[in-house]
Amino acid sequence: MNARLALALVVSGAVALTACGGTTKDSAGQQANTAANTAAADPNAPIKEGLKITFLPKQVNNPYFTVAQKGAEQAGTATKAEVKATGPSDAAASSQVTYINTAAQQRQNALVISANDANAVAPALKSARQQGLKVVTFDSDAAPDARDVFVNQATPQDIAVGQVKLIAEAIGGSGEIAILSATPNATNQNAWIETMKTELAKPEYAKVELVDTAYGNDDDQTSFQKTQGLLQAHPNLKGIISPTTVGVAAAARYLSSSEYKGKVALTGLGTPNQMRKFVQDGTVGSFALWDPSKLGYLATYAAAALASGQITGAQGEKFKAGELGEYTIGAKGEVVLGPPTVFTRDNIEKFDF
Ligand code: RAM
């Protein structure tokens, strides 16, 4: 049953919502990934041509999302879909709501979104789904009952454990550290920070003390100033973890021309192209990231597979993501791209994103 038809029938009271087994109705407050959805998936369904997919990053002026968008466009070309990128200039909690509503009004087939806030976007996403859009979150998830699939770059474990290891090595295993995050509501950032705290509680990190967490809002200037603030507030600070591409680049810029260069260590999640000069000048020894273009590519393939009926978002379903190969949907509708790469002086020249 087509979702718009399903909605019309529900509105007219002609059919109970539960009868629409294959659709992703959520007005009953249910998770999208139910057994009923599994029944509707047709793994052999061809990818439909001419799908309209909106790509909605946290913010448009962020190089990380520009690279992710390139991957989304490549997947669009490969699947013969029309991928349209749009989005706010800042990463504020509700800045994406109007763009979600517009995608629904424009009768897009799917929306690929990195959510600035899991809940602020949820009502608009639910309404869009009721109008027939398939919703794929990538990078930063929305409330699970507001989307069909979440394409995660890596597990919080893979990311956060690695970040703690890198900073501990950089400060010689003891001393005060701080986190410079993005926005306070970002699902991805908060999941990573929580896992970092759990990791830091382990005996091997007994001498590493997290003294502060600051938020640069994924804004270059704010991140720059917050770096300065952390250093002034904590004279014994030995290291900073900034798990955001905007934050780590701004922190590196501040450190590289300050008295703290070489004295305060910095690691985080950065793009090799933004971080190269700070690795070369000795401000940063190592940092990590995944390839954002692969993330955008995989998320767009997931959107096309959903909109074509190949998958519904239920655990165990499989779909082919072009040159990345086959992926399986895990618990809670989550697909994981793969572990991040660590960049150092030794390998950074091999990467161009
Ligand atoms: C920033 C954003 C994004 C995050 C990357 C690492 O660009 O906060 O959500 O995944 O950094």
Side-chain angles (χ1 to χ4, degrees):
M1 185 181 295
N2 151 316
R4 279 194 189 91
L5 175 61
L7 182 69
L9 290 172
V10 170
V11 169
S12 72
V15 66
L17 195 60
T18 47
C20 309
T23 61
T24 50
K25 297 293 110 180
D26 49 22
S27 32
Q30 293 160 345
Q31 286 258 327
N33 313 302
T34 59
N37 285 338
T38 315
D42 177 3
N44 299 318
I47 293 286
K48 289 181 186 162
E49 284 189 20
L51 290 172
K52 291 185 180 143
I53 301 175
T54 292
F55 178 84
L56 181 48
K58 281 182 172 176
Q59 53 184 154
V60 287
N61 52 355
N62 175 340
Y64 171 87
F65 288 110
T66 309
V67 180
Q69 184 185 324
K70 275 190 202 143
E73 285 164 356
Q74 278 161 9
T77 304
T79 58
K80 299 193 168 65
E82 188 190 309
V83 174
K84 193 163 73 179
T86 182
S89 55
D90 66 84
S94 52
S95 60
Q96 293 166 308
V97 170
T98 53
Y99 296 89
I100 298 168
N101 293 338
T102 301
Q105 278 154 16
Q106 292 176 342
R107 298 186 166 246
Q108 298 286 292
N109 298 100
L111 178 66
V112 175
I113 175 176
S114 169
N116 279 320
D117 180 299
N119 299 315
V121 294
L125 290 181
K126 288 180 184 179
S127 155
R129 289 175 73 208
Q130 277 164 0
Q131 293 172 63
L133 262 84
K134 299 297 178 189
V135 174
V136 174
T137 49
F138 75 103
D139 179 66
S140 185
D141 201 7
D145 66 347
R147 48 75 172 160
D148 297 282
V149 165
F150 170 42
V151 178
N152 201 351
Q153 41 269 59
T155 63
Q157 196 72 11
D158 274 341
I159 294 170
V161 170
Q163 294 279 287
V164 168
K165 190 164 173 278
L166 292 181
I167 202 67
E169 282 168 5
I171 65 169
S174 87
E176 294 183 1
I177 62 162
I179 295 173
L180 174 67
S181 180
T183 55
N185 296 333
T187 332
N188 55 348
Q189 295 285 322
N190 289 338
W192 302 335
I193 292 170
E194 204 178 302
T195 311
M196 284 181 208
K197 288 181 178 166
T198 308
E199 186 65 9
L200 284 167
K202 291 186 176 168
E204 60 258 49
Y205 296 121
K207 291 186 186 153
V208 180
E209 192 193 353
L210 176 63
V211 292
D212 211 343
T213 300
Y215 296 90
N217 292 337
D218 267 349
D219 174 72
D220 177 69
Q221 270 312 306
T222 311
S223 304
F224 189 85
Q225 283 155 12
K226 293 284 176 168
T227 306
Q228 187 177 29
L230 283 171
L231 291 159
Q232 283 168 356
H234 305 283
N236 295 323
L237 201 65
K238 286 272 172 48
I240 298 174
I241 301 176
S242 187
T244 135
T245 57
V246 179
V248 76
R253 199 171 77 251
Y254 180 80
L255 285 178
S256 70
S257 58
S258 77
E259 57 182 301
Y260 305 102
K261 182 179 172 191
K263 294 186 187 134
V264 174
L266 172 67
T267 192
L269 299 173
T271 65
N273 287 353
Q274 284 182 287
M275 298 302 288
R276 186 168 291 106
K277 58 178 174 292
F278 303 116
V279 169
Q280 282 162 353
D281 79 2
T283 306
V284 173
S286 58
F287 65 99
L289 199 71
W290 44 92
D291 183 342
S293 74
K294 288 187 180 161
L295 187 64
Y297 184 91
L298 178 56
T300 304
Y301 255 96
L306 278 164
S308 303
Q310 265 183 13
I311 57 171
T312 64
Q315 186 169 3
E317 291 174 355
K318 295 179 193 304
F319 66 100
K320 289 202 177 64
E323 60 194 37
L324 292 179
E326 188 175 78
Y327 280 80
T328 304
I329 298 175
K332 294 183 187 158
E334 193 170 317
V335 176
V336 179
L337 177 67
T341 302
V342 173
F343 307 100
T344 63
R345 196 185 274 266
D346 294 339
N347 69 354
I348 196 160
E349 297 308 333
K350 292 187 199 144
F351 299 91
D352 182 18
F353 59 82

